[in-house]
């Protein structure tokens, strides 16, 4: 199996896991993986509007960061430009998962960003989970909103009236972050329902955890692309 085929297989496997765990539904959402060759300027992504249950590696597309189709017969995801923006803006990110997962999406409806509630949240997702203002799917407006917001090095964002965006240095870590986000979102929603004061972790603990995340990210940013190829 050549290198590109292994990326395509990883996309198919990731979608299967995300469907099984209830994070991807019907044809909603999309998943991508940076091709870690010397250039680091292309990525594999799910096709547009295609049933995850039927997806095979042949259905996955690869694109360069200017969105030229490199391989694949299907139309790439409508959100390809959003994924390209993430890879251009964040050299520490090698995998992007966009879902319409329910609990985190519910927080987007009431404009409730998630403060630092748990240690593992700060360690893997960042200081908070912010809400990126609404713009229609596939538009330059959404792309611009995202490019501006993701420079704070967080790994999870909620898209207003839409869904979520999670990143990781690997697909495994991006899926892990999707799961942490949904757990935090559900706990926060339940806490908000009580109308009692919601406590946060101490600021110092949040900063220590976030610094660890930044150190991990810097290691990925510095990594020799030739080593990446054997990842
Ligand atoms: Zn979407």
């Amino acid at each position: 199996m050549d290198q590109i085929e292994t990326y395509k297989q990883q996309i198919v496997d990731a979608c299967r896991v995300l469907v099984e765990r209830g994070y991807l539904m019907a044809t909603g959402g999309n998943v991508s993986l940076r091709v870690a060759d010397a250039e680091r300027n292309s990525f594999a992504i799910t096709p547009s509007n295609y049933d995850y249950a039927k997806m095979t590696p042949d259905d996955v597309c690869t694109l360069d960061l200017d969105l030229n189709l490199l391989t694949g017969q299907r139309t790439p995801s409508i959100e390809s430009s959003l994924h390209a923006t993430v890879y251009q803006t964040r050299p520490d990110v090698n995998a992007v998962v966009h879902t319409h997962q329910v609990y985190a999406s519910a927080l987007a409806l009431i404009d409730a960003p998630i403060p630092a509630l748990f240690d593992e949240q700060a360690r893997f997702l960042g200081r908070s989970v912010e809400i990126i203002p609404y713009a229609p799917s596939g538009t330059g407006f959404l792309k611009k909103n995202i490019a501006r917001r993701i420079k704070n090095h967080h790994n999870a964002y909620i898209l207003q009236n839409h869904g979520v965006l999670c990143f990781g240095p690997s697909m495994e870590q991006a899926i892990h972050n999707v799961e942490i986000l949904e757990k935090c979102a559900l706990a926060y929603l339940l806490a908000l329902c009580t109308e009692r004061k919601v406590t946060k972790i101490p600021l110092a603990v949040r900063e220590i955890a976030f610094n660890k995340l930044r150190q991990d990210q810097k290691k990925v940013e510095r990594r020799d692309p030739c080593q990446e190829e054997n990842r």
Side-chain angles (χ1 to χ4, degrees), residues 4-229:
I4 294 300
E5 286 303 306
T6 63
Y7 287 103
K8 293 185 172 187
Q9 185 65 56
Q10 277 193 71
I11 294 278
V12 172
D13 293 345
C15 291
R16 189 167 305 133
V17 168
L18 289 161
V19 168
E20 275 169 14
R21 296 181 189 173
Y23 299 111
L24 287 180
M25 287 141 272
T27 59
N30 32 71
V31 173
S32 75
L33 193 57
R34 190 200 293 269
V35 174
D37 56 11
E39 287 81 29
R40 299 184 90 227
N41 66 354
S42 63
F43 60 101
I45 188 160
T46 42
S48 176
N49 200 25
Y50 193 70
D51 188 344
Y52 292 110
K54 287 194 231 152
M55 197 178 295
T56 71
D58 286 341
D59 298 314
V60 177
C61 308
T62 56
L63 303 174
D64 66 22
L65 295 184
D66 295 322
L67 305 182
N68 297 304
L69 185 67
L70 303 176
T71 69
Q73 279 111 48
R74 297 199 177 272
T75 308
S77 164
I78 185 176
E79 298 292 12
S80 294
S81 71
L82 183 161
H83 289 250
T85 301
V86 176
Y87 294 125
Q88 275 164 336
T89 314
R90 293 277 302 271
D92 61 293
V93 173
N94 287 321
V96 177
V97 177
H98 163 57
T99 78
H100 299 163
Q101 59 197 64
V102 176
Y103 296 124
S105 300
L107 289 172
L109 305 180
I110 55 171
D111 193 22
I114 311 176
L117 303 175
F118 304 101
D119 295 359
E120 61 166 1
Q121 177 199 350
R123 175 70 181 83
F124 296 108
L125 305 187
R127 288 182 168 123
S128 63
V129 182
E130 294 181 356
I131 295 179
I132 295 178
Y134 179 81
S137 290
T139 62
F141 299 111
L142 184 58
K143 196 177 132 169
K144 249 184 238 161
N145 286 350
I146 286 167
R148 212 174 19 238
R149 297 298 183 109
I150 63 174
K151 287 179 184 152
N152 62 3
H153 300 287
H154 292 178
N155 273 339
Y157 301 86
I158 297 172
L159 307 175
Q160 189 184 6
N161 293 75
H162 184 169
V164 315
L165 204 50
C166 284
F167 310 149
S170 65
M171 184 56 79
E172 196 183 4
Q173 191 64 50
I175 292 173
H176 175 249
N177 291 343
V178 163
E179 295 186 295
I180 293 181
L181 172 59
E182 196 67 341
K183 175 232 155 178
C184 294
L186 175 55
Y188 192 40
L189 274 170
L190 291 172
L192 289 175
C193 289
T194 66
E195 295 184 3
R196 295 181 64 161
K197 182 175 181 289
V198 179
T199 58
K200 299 173 211 159
I201 58 172
L203 206 60
V205 173
R206 185 193 79 178
E207 288 307 298
I208 289 167
F210 181 63
N211 281 336
K212 283 186 187 160
L213 172 63
R214 281 297 294 137
Q215 281 162 21
D216 288 349
Q217 290 175 343
K218 283 175 187 165
K219 277 185 217 154
V220 180
E221 288 167 15
R222 282 195 301 261
R223 195 177 294 169
D224 179 355
C226 297
Q227 286 176 3
E228 279 277 301
E229 252 177 297

